[in-house]
Amino acid sequence: MKSELHKEALSALRSGRILILMASFLFLALLTPTMLKIVLPKVLGSRIAGDASQEIHEIMNMTQLGCIRSYVGHVFEIGSLIVAFTLCGLTASEIHGNTWVLPVCAGKRFAQMVGAKLFIFGSLLMITSVLALLANYGYSGLLFGFELGVLPILRAGLLQGMYMLFLLSCLITWGVFRKRPIAAGFLTLATAYGVHLITSLLRIHPYTPSGLLIHVHELTPAFDSSLLLPLGVTILLIIAMALITIGLLKRLEWNGRSAW
Amino acid sequence: MNGFVLTKDLLFLLSPLLLLQTSLVVYCGFVIFKEGVRNLSKGAWLLICLFINVIGPVLFFLLGRKEVE
Amino acid sequence: MISVQGLRKEFDGFPVLKGLDMEVKTGEIYGFIGQNGVGKTTTMSILAGLSRPTRGTCVVRGKDVSKNTHPGDLGIGYLPEDPKFYPWMSARETLLYLSDAQNKGRVQEILRWTGLADASERRVCGFSRGMKQRLGIGVALIRDPDLFILDEPSSALDPRGRNEVLCLIKDLQKMGKTILLSTHILDDIERICDTVGMIDDGRMVFEKPLAQLQREYRQLSLQITSIMDISAAAIEKLSRLTGVRSVTKAEGSLTLGVSDKTVSLAVMALLVEHGVAVESFTWSKTRLEDLFLREVRDR
């Protein structure tokens, strides 16, 4: 297991995936306050002359809280996209490119291989989510003035990381189903957005991973009991998907020539 | 777009973004010349990294790195 | 070591193997030959536990492959046709990772033995085909198995690389290992194999010790070319001469399979008798290559 974790950590580092995720999340985190504070008022201000521009400033109600909420929304829309396409090859390219043949023959267990991927990239996504949200918190506080404590931010960051973990396990499972990185990416996005759509249409927020995002959006410091349900559902889903993946892998045939 | 003047204050406010972009470009340039590229030429990737904010370097890492796969 | 009976494998209903039988004895180098696409790789991946047979039994090292749950449990050193490594790992990291970092001394030993010690810190993405092949053999060696299944270990290499790989395989046999290898380079078979199995159209055509094969097929042959057509009567009489095993007629030439060189006197006399103006009269030996081509053509 140790060598498995080491391998995944090395792959995250050397393939530049850590860098891509960190950079793009930080970019989103820093861009949102910039847009809201500097660019948007200038653009609007130049369109609407005179006193009106001042009013717009007030109407848009730009506060730190609003800014963070706007960022959190961007993470769901754009961050998911980045995660999906950065990590889409996690299992798919291992199968498609036959890089798993030698480890399997050397006696590596599927549960360990999938577990190590979930652990390493899951931690990476958690850390990235929390760090980016902290950066967003700090920067927006600098621009608009601080009005929140750090605790709700940490809580929101961890919940967001949990949602990203859900995306990760989708990627891993779809990768084994379809064996093509790009297909795994698109299917994961379809799953994520689909779940979100169904959740908001049927109003079943407490029962889906998308419910986590609602809690992220709230930015409250308290851990109330309504959080337990979506969190539990998400964790169960992640475990179920991991088990499905391992089951599929055990039944997979590794034919020497690349599987089309 | 009148009134968009780059004042000192503005520059200070934008510094985190600029820092992020600059460090990415420097790192990408390092990787481009050390490891080589695929899909496009070195010059093209360098221009993409320089002029497309953050997305450029990210694109390079996803599509332009030689070593991955 | 390996015992296969009536092995069938279908891909989406399309049969690739149609009842293959084979027997690999302990301590031998078994050469698996056949054209591309007749099922060599399929057979080997089934034997390595990576693919499941549709029907038939495969017993490898006393274990039934179809009842095995994990390819790693068979205790085989397997080298795929085109071994794929992680390009961002160095040779040493690859071996350490695949051996669970259990024994660093063994990794160093393997690196030295496969001639990769100097390149051990370089990333695999910069490796040549031959180096990758040697690293692949090194990977197969990690758990010190007593059976190796090597899929085309010497193909796609230049003559020097091929020679190195063949020497490595011969060394393995000296250590008491059993080796099953496939190839389409028949020269390699003649150099190192003890037993040859030829597969065509998903079935075993023959399976014989190399020495016996050479005795049977490495017959002397006599090639006669003439400036004119050799009459049918002459050919008829030639084929009835004692010591002549076969007569094959081709455009302007005649090939006789004979038992020994003393037949030449009788052949010559017969040709003179029929007034055949001989242009050339040459001895040759059938190579495995010719045998292979003939077997393939006959089917």
PDB file of all heavy atoms in Angstrom, chain C residues 48-76:
ATOM      1  N   ALA C  48      -1.141 -16.203 -18.654  1.00  0.00           N
ATOM      2  CA  ALA C  48      -0.683 -15.297 -17.603  1.00  0.00           C
ATOM      3  C   ALA C  48      -1.826 -14.889 -16.674  1.00  0.00           C
ATOM      4  O   ALA C  48      -1.621 -14.118 -15.749  1.00  0.00           O
ATOM      5  CB  ALA C  48      -0.049 -14.067 -18.224  1.00  0.00           C
ATOM      6  N   GLY C  49      -3.028 -15.378 -16.972  1.00  0.00           N
ATOM      7  CA  GLY C  49      -4.169 -15.079 -16.112  1.00  0.00           C
ATOM      8  C   GLY C  49      -4.819 -13.738 -16.385  1.00  0.00           C
ATOM      9  O   GLY C  49      -5.673 -13.290 -15.639  1.00  0.00           O
ATOM     10  N   LEU C  50      -4.419 -13.056 -17.470  1.00  0.00           N
ATOM     11  CA  LEU C  50      -4.951 -11.728 -17.753  1.00  0.00           C
ATOM     12  C   LEU C  50      -6.250 -11.793 -18.529  1.00  0.00           C
ATOM     13  O   LEU C  50      -7.006 -10.839 -18.601  1.00  0.00           O
ATOM     14  CB  LEU C  50      -3.928 -10.919 -18.545  1.00  0.00           C
ATOM     15  CG  LEU C  50      -2.691 -10.501 -17.768  1.00  0.00           C
ATOM     16  CD1 LEU C  50      -1.613 -10.019 -18.713  1.00  0.00           C
ATOM     17  CD2 LEU C  50      -3.041  -9.424 -16.775  1.00  0.00           C
ATOM     18  N   SER C  51      -6.491 -12.933 -19.160  1.00  0.00           N
ATOM     19  CA  SER C  51      -7.659 -13.073 -20.002  1.00  0.00           C
ATOM     20  C   SER C  51      -8.260 -14.436 -19.682  1.00  0.00           C
ATOM     21  O   SER C  51      -7.541 -15.355 -19.311  1.00  0.00           O
ATOM     22  CB  SER C  51      -7.201 -12.988 -21.457  1.00  0.00           C
ATOM     23  OG  SER C  51      -8.295 -12.977 -22.315  1.00  0.00           O
ATOM     24  N   ARG C  52      -9.580 -14.554 -19.798  1.00  0.00           N
ATOM     25  CA  ARG C  52     -10.195 -15.825 -19.416  1.00  0.00           C
ATOM     26  C   ARG C  52     -10.542 -16.670 -20.640  1.00  0.00           C
ATOM     27  O   ARG C  52     -11.016 -16.144 -21.638  1.00  0.00           O
ATOM     28  CB  ARG C  52     -11.461 -15.555 -18.600  1.00  0.00           C
ATOM     29  CG  ARG C  52     -11.190 -15.505 -17.112  1.00  0.00           C
ATOM     30  CD  ARG C  52     -12.403 -15.049 -16.370  1.00  0.00           C
ATOM     31  NE  ARG C  52     -12.647 -13.638 -16.589  1.00  0.00           N
ATOM     32  CZ  ARG C  52     -12.024 -12.671 -15.917  1.00  0.00           C
ATOM     33  NH1 ARG C  52     -11.157 -12.969 -14.978  1.00  0.00           N
ATOM     34  NH2 ARG C  52     -12.267 -11.405 -16.159  1.00  0.00           N
ATOM     35  N   PRO C  53     -10.300 -17.990 -20.556  1.00  0.00           N
ATOM     36  CA  PRO C  53     -10.639 -18.856 -21.682  1.00  0.00           C
ATOM     37  C   PRO C  53     -12.156 -19.011 -21.815  1.00  0.00           C
ATOM     38  O   PRO C  53     -12.875 -18.965 -20.806  1.00  0.00           O
ATOM     39  CB  PRO C  53      -9.987 -20.187 -21.322  1.00  0.00           C
ATOM     40  CG  PRO C  53      -9.774 -20.155 -19.857  1.00  0.00           C
ATOM     41  CD  PRO C  53      -9.651 -18.730 -19.458  1.00  0.00           C
ATOM     42  N   THR C  54     -12.645 -19.145 -23.059  1.00  0.00           N
ATOM     43  CA  THR C  54     -14.063 -19.398 -23.262  1.00  0.00           C
ATOM     44  C   THR C  54     -14.378 -20.848 -22.891  1.00  0.00           C
ATOM     45  O   THR C  54     -15.388 -21.135 -22.262  1.00  0.00           O
ATOM     46  CB  THR C  54     -14.444 -19.134 -24.732  1.00  0.00           C
ATOM     47  OG1 THR C  54     -13.928 -17.853 -25.105  1.00  0.00           O
ATOM     48  CG2 THR C  54     -15.945 -19.145 -24.925  1.00  0.00           C
ATOM     49  N   ARG C  55     -13.489 -21.745 -23.292  1.00  0.00           N
ATOM     50  CA  ARG C  55     -13.633 -23.154 -22.938  1.00  0.00           C
ATOM     51  C   ARG C  55     -12.254 -23.787 -22.860  1.00  0.00           C
ATOM     52  O   ARG C  55     -11.273 -23.213 -23.335  1.00  0.00           O
ATOM     53  CB  ARG C  55     -14.481 -23.873 -23.986  1.00  0.00           C
ATOM     54  CG  ARG C  55     -15.592 -24.733 -23.353  1.00  0.00           C
ATOM     55  CD  ARG C  55     -16.428 -25.390 -24.429  1.00  0.00           C
ATOM     56  NE  ARG C  55     -17.047 -24.433 -25.336  1.00  0.00           N
ATOM     57  CZ  ARG C  55     -17.204 -24.658 -26.655  1.00  0.00           C
ATOM     58  NH1 ARG C  55     -16.757 -25.745 -27.204  1.00  0.00           N
ATOM     59  NH2 ARG C  55     -17.811 -23.771 -27.413  1.00  0.00           N
ATOM     60  N   GLY C  56     -12.177 -24.965 -22.306  1.00  0.00           N
ATOM     61  CA  GLY C  56     -10.899 -25.673 -22.245  1.00  0.00           C
ATOM     62  C   GLY C  56     -10.206 -25.464 -20.913  1.00  0.00           C
ATOM     63  O   GLY C  56     -10.564 -24.576 -20.151  1.00  0.00           O
ATOM     64  N   THR C  57      -9.207 -26.281 -20.642  1.00  0.00           N
ATOM     65  CA  THR C  57      -8.489 -26.155 -19.375  1.00  0.00           C
ATOM     66  C   THR C  57      -7.055 -25.730 -19.597  1.00  0.00           C
ATOM     67  O   THR C  57      -6.402 -26.163 -20.541  1.00  0.00           O
ATOM     68  CB  THR C  57      -8.466 -27.496 -18.608  1.00  0.00           C
ATOM     69  OG1 THR C  57      -8.012 -28.509 -19.505  1.00  0.00           O
ATOM     70  CG2 THR C  57      -9.825 -27.872 -18.075  1.00  0.00           C
ATOM     71  N   CYS C  58      -6.597 -24.846 -18.743  1.00  0.00           N
ATOM     72  CA  CYS C  58      -5.204 -24.407 -18.750  1.00  0.00           C
ATOM     73  C   CYS C  58      -4.693 -24.577 -17.339  1.00  0.00           C
ATOM     74  O   CYS C  58      -5.166 -23.912 -16.427  1.00  0.00           O
ATOM     75  CB  CYS C  58      -5.096 -22.928 -19.072  1.00  0.00           C
ATOM     76  SG  CYS C  58      -5.562 -22.499 -20.698  1.00  0.00           S
ATOM     77  N   VAL C  59      -3.760 -25.457 -17.164  1.00  0.00           N
ATOM     78  CA  VAL C  59      -3.168 -25.623 -15.834  1.00  0.00           C
ATOM     79  C   VAL C  59      -1.747 -25.089 -15.885  1.00  0.00           C
ATOM     80  O   VAL C  59      -0.928 -25.529 -16.668  1.00  0.00           O
ATOM     81  CB  VAL C  59      -3.184 -27.104 -15.400  1.00  0.00           C
ATOM     82  CG1 VAL C  59      -2.575 -27.240 -14.016  1.00  0.00           C
ATOM     83  CG2 VAL C  59      -4.605 -27.628 -15.401  1.00  0.00           C
ATOM     84  N   VAL C  60      -1.491 -24.054 -15.084  1.00  0.00           N
ATOM     85  CA  VAL C  60      -0.176 -23.437 -15.041  1.00  0.00           C
ATOM     86  C   VAL C  60       0.373 -23.607 -13.637  1.00  0.00           C
ATOM     87  O   VAL C  60      -0.264 -23.200 -12.665  1.00  0.00           O
ATOM     88  CB  VAL C  60      -0.272 -21.941 -15.394  1.00  0.00           C
ATOM     89  CG1 VAL C  60       1.091 -21.283 -15.256  1.00  0.00           C
ATOM     90  CG2 VAL C  60      -0.790 -21.761 -16.807  1.00  0.00           C
ATOM     91  N   ARG C  61       1.511 -24.215 -13.519  1.00  0.00           N
ATOM     92  CA  ARG C  61       2.135 -24.472 -12.222  1.00  0.00           C
ATOM     93  C   ARG C  61       1.139 -25.122 -11.249  1.00  0.00           C
ATOM     94  O   ARG C  61       1.040 -24.749 -10.093  1.00  0.00           O
ATOM     95  CB  ARG C  61       2.687 -23.196 -11.604  1.00  0.00           C
ATOM     96  CG  ARG C  61       3.802 -22.562 -12.426  1.00  0.00           C
ATOM     97  CD  ARG C  61       4.281 -21.257 -11.869  1.00  0.00           C
ATOM     98  NE  ARG C  61       5.116 -21.469 -10.688  1.00  0.00           N
ATOM     99  CZ  ARG C  61       4.731 -21.176  -9.460  1.00  0.00           C
ATOM    100  NH1 ARG C  61       3.558 -20.676  -9.247  1.00  0.00           N
ATOM    101  NH2 ARG C  61       5.539 -21.387  -8.463  1.00  0.00           N
ATOM    102  N   GLY C  62       0.373 -26.065 -11.787  1.00  0.00           N
ATOM    103  CA  GLY C  62      -0.563 -26.796 -10.947  1.00  0.00           C
ATOM    104  C   GLY C  62      -1.844 -26.055 -10.607  1.00  0.00           C
ATOM    105  O   GLY C  62      -2.683 -26.561  -9.878  1.00  0.00           O
ATOM    106  N   LYS C  63      -2.010 -24.827 -11.133  1.00  0.00           N
ATOM    107  CA  LYS C  63      -3.225 -24.064 -10.851  1.00  0.00           C
ATOM    108  C   LYS C  63      -4.073 -23.927 -12.105  1.00  0.00           C
ATOM    109  O   LYS C  63      -3.544 -23.690 -13.192  1.00  0.00           O
ATOM    110  CB  LYS C  63      -2.859 -22.660 -10.368  1.00  0.00           C
ATOM    111  CG  LYS C  63      -2.459 -22.619  -8.918  1.00  0.00           C
ATOM    112  CD  LYS C  63      -2.162 -21.180  -8.519  1.00  0.00           C
ATOM    113  CE  LYS C  63      -1.408 -21.148  -7.210  1.00  0.00           C
ATOM    114  NZ  LYS C  63      -0.507 -20.009  -7.136  1.00  0.00           N
ATOM    115  N   ASP C  64      -5.371 -24.057 -11.938  1.00  0.00           N
ATOM    116  CA  ASP C  64      -6.273 -23.868 -13.064  1.00  0.00           C
ATOM    117  C   ASP C  64      -6.462 -22.366 -13.283  1.00  0.00           C
ATOM    118  O   ASP C  64      -6.938 -21.648 -12.413  1.00  0.00           O
ATOM    119  CB  ASP C  64      -7.621 -24.533 -12.758  1.00  0.00           C
ATOM    120  CG  ASP C  64      -8.507 -24.590 -13.995  1.00  0.00           C
ATOM    121  OD1 ASP C  64      -8.298 -23.761 -14.907  1.00  0.00           O
ATOM    122  OD2 ASP C  64      -9.388 -25.462 -14.050  1.00  0.00           O
ATOM    123  N   VAL C  65      -6.068 -21.919 -14.466  1.00  0.00           N
ATOM    124  CA  VAL C  65      -6.086 -20.484 -14.740  1.00  0.00           C
ATOM    125  C   VAL C  65      -7.496 -19.898 -14.649  1.00  0.00           C
ATOM    126  O   VAL C  65      -7.701 -18.808 -14.128  1.00  0.00           O
ATOM    127  CB  VAL C  65      -5.479 -20.207 -16.139  1.00  0.00           C
ATOM    128  CG1 VAL C  65      -5.722 -18.781 -16.563  1.00  0.00           C
ATOM    129  CG2 VAL C  65      -3.998 -20.490 -16.131  1.00  0.00           C
ATOM    130  N   SER C  66      -8.497 -20.648 -15.137  1.00  0.00           N
ATOM    131  CA  SER C  66      -9.852 -20.091 -15.157  1.00  0.00           C
ATOM    132  C   SER C  66     -10.435 -19.970 -13.748  1.00  0.00           C
ATOM    133  O   SER C  66     -11.376 -19.231 -13.523  1.00  0.00           O
ATOM    134  CB  SER C  66     -10.760 -20.944 -16.040  1.00  0.00           C
ATOM    135  OG  SER C  66     -10.715 -22.275 -15.621  1.00  0.00           O
ATOM    136  N   LYS C  67      -9.851 -20.688 -12.790  1.00  0.00           N
ATOM    137  CA  LYS C  67     -10.345 -20.579 -11.412  1.00  0.00           C
ATOM    138  C   LYS C  67      -9.511 -19.594 -10.602  1.00  0.00           C
ATOM    139  O   LYS C  67      -9.786 -19.345  -9.436  1.00  0.00           O
ATOM    140  CB  LYS C  67     -10.324 -21.953 -10.728  1.00  0.00           C
ATOM    141  CG  LYS C  67     -11.334 -22.914 -11.323  1.00  0.00           C
ATOM    142  CD  LYS C  67     -11.530 -24.130 -10.437  1.00  0.00           C
ATOM    143  CE  LYS C  67     -12.469 -25.133 -11.053  1.00  0.00           C
ATOM    144  NZ  LYS C  67     -11.785 -25.957 -12.085  1.00  0.00           N
ATOM    145  N   ASN C  68      -8.477 -19.042 -11.230  1.00  0.00           N
ATOM    146  CA  ASN C  68      -7.604 -18.109 -10.521  1.00  0.00           C
ATOM    147  C   ASN C  68      -8.251 -16.727 -10.478  1.00  0.00           C
ATOM    148  O   ASN C  68      -8.855 -16.280 -11.451  1.00  0.00           O
ATOM    149  CB  ASN C  68      -6.269 -18.036 -11.254  1.00  0.00           C
ATOM    150  CG  ASN C  68      -5.252 -17.250 -10.492  1.00  0.00           C
ATOM    151  OD1 ASN C  68      -4.929 -17.585  -9.369  1.00  0.00           O
ATOM    152  ND2 ASN C  68      -4.771 -16.191 -11.080  1.00  0.00           N
ATOM    153  N   THR C  69      -8.138 -16.042  -9.343  1.00  0.00           N
ATOM    154  CA  THR C  69      -8.836 -14.762  -9.232  1.00  0.00           C
ATOM    155  C   THR C  69      -7.957 -13.561  -9.559  1.00  0.00           C
ATOM    156  O   THR C  69      -8.448 -12.535  -9.989  1.00  0.00           O
ATOM    157  CB  THR C  69      -9.410 -14.582  -7.827  1.00  0.00           C
ATOM    158  OG1 THR C  69      -8.379 -14.903  -6.888  1.00  0.00           O
ATOM    159  CG2 THR C  69     -10.603 -15.474  -7.602  1.00  0.00           C
ATOM    160  N   HIS C  70      -6.660 -13.696  -9.378  1.00  0.00           N
ATOM    161  CA  HIS C  70      -5.790 -12.539  -9.620  1.00  0.00           C
ATOM    162  C   HIS C  70      -4.552 -12.985 -10.396  1.00  0.00           C
ATOM    163  O   HIS C  70      -3.903 -13.956 -10.008  1.00  0.00           O
ATOM    164  CB  HIS C  70      -5.391 -11.920  -8.281  1.00  0.00           C
ATOM    165  CG  HIS C  70      -4.743 -10.587  -8.424  1.00  0.00           C
ATOM    166  ND1 HIS C  70      -5.482  -9.418  -8.420  1.00  0.00           N
ATOM    167  CD2 HIS C  70      -3.463 -10.232  -8.596  1.00  0.00           C
ATOM    168  CE1 HIS C  70      -4.640  -8.402  -8.580  1.00  0.00           C
ATOM    169  NE2 HIS C  70      -3.420  -8.865  -8.692  1.00  0.00           N
ATOM    170  N   PRO C  71      -4.222 -12.291 -11.495  1.00  0.00           N
ATOM    171  CA  PRO C  71      -3.076 -12.711 -12.305  1.00  0.00           C
ATOM    172  C   PRO C  71      -1.782 -12.790 -11.497  1.00  0.00           C
ATOM    173  O   PRO C  71      -0.906 -13.598 -11.800  1.00  0.00           O
ATOM    174  CB  PRO C  71      -2.977 -11.620 -13.364  1.00  0.00           C
ATOM    175  CG  PRO C  71      -4.324 -11.012 -13.429  1.00  0.00           C
ATOM    176  CD  PRO C  71      -4.910 -11.130 -12.057  1.00  0.00           C
ATOM    177  N   GLY C  72      -1.677 -11.966 -10.463  1.00  0.00           N
ATOM    178  CA  GLY C  72      -0.453 -11.946  -9.675  1.00  0.00           C
ATOM    179  C   GLY C  72      -0.244 -13.189  -8.834  1.00  0.00           C
ATOM    180  O   GLY C  72       0.849 -13.427  -8.337  1.00  0.00           O
ATOM    181  N   ASP C  73      -1.320 -13.990  -8.668  1.00  0.00           N
ATOM    182  CA  ASP C  73      -1.207 -15.164  -7.804  1.00  0.00           C
ATOM    183  C   ASP C  73      -0.631 -16.384  -8.514  1.00  0.00           C
ATOM    184  O   ASP C  73      -0.413 -17.417  -7.893  1.00  0.00           O
ATOM    185  CB  ASP C  73      -2.593 -15.540  -7.241  1.00  0.00           C
ATOM    186  CG  ASP C  73      -3.131 -14.437  -6.364  1.00  0.00           C
ATOM    187  OD1 ASP C  73      -2.323 -13.606  -5.919  1.00  0.00           O
ATOM    188  OD2 ASP C  73      -4.353 -14.391  -6.145  1.00  0.00           O
ATOM    189  N   LEU C  74      -0.451 -16.285  -9.842  1.00  0.00           N
ATOM    190  CA  LEU C  74       0.001 -17.461 -10.570  1.00  0.00           C
ATOM    191  C   LEU C  74       1.501 -17.706 -10.426  1.00  0.00           C
ATOM    192  O   LEU C  74       1.985 -18.789 -10.730  1.00  0.00           O
ATOM    193  CB  LEU C  74      -0.352 -17.326 -12.057  1.00  0.00           C
ATOM    194  CG  LEU C  74      -1.830 -17.533 -12.405  1.00  0.00           C
ATOM    195  CD1 LEU C  74      -2.102 -17.131 -13.832  1.00  0.00           C
ATOM    196  CD2 LEU C  74      -2.237 -18.975 -12.197  1.00  0.00           C
ATOM    197  N   GLY C  75       2.222 -16.685  -9.986  1.00  0.00           N
ATOM    198  CA  GLY C  75       3.661 -16.851  -9.827  1.00  0.00           C
ATOM    199  C   GLY C  75       4.396 -16.972 -11.142  1.00  0.00           C
ATOM    200  O   GLY C  75       5.234 -17.836 -11.328  1.00  0.00           O
ATOM    201  N   ILE C  76       4.034 -16.087 -12.061  1.00  0.00           N
ATOM    202  CA  ILE C  76       4.635 -16.121 -13.398  1.00  0.00           C
ATOM    203  C   ILE C  76       5.362 -14.807 -13.628  1.00  0.00           C
ATOM    204  O   ILE C  76       4.914 -13.762 -13.171  1.00  0.00           O
ATOM    205  CB  ILE C  76       3.527 -16.248 -14.464  1.00  0.00           C
ATOM    206  CG1 ILE C  76       2.833 -17.596 -14.350  1.00  0.00           C
ATOM    207  CG2 ILE C  76       4.093 -16.076 -15.862  1.00  0.00           C
ATOM    208  CD1 ILE C  76       1.635 -17.695 -15.242  1.00  0.00           C
TER     209      ILE C  76
END
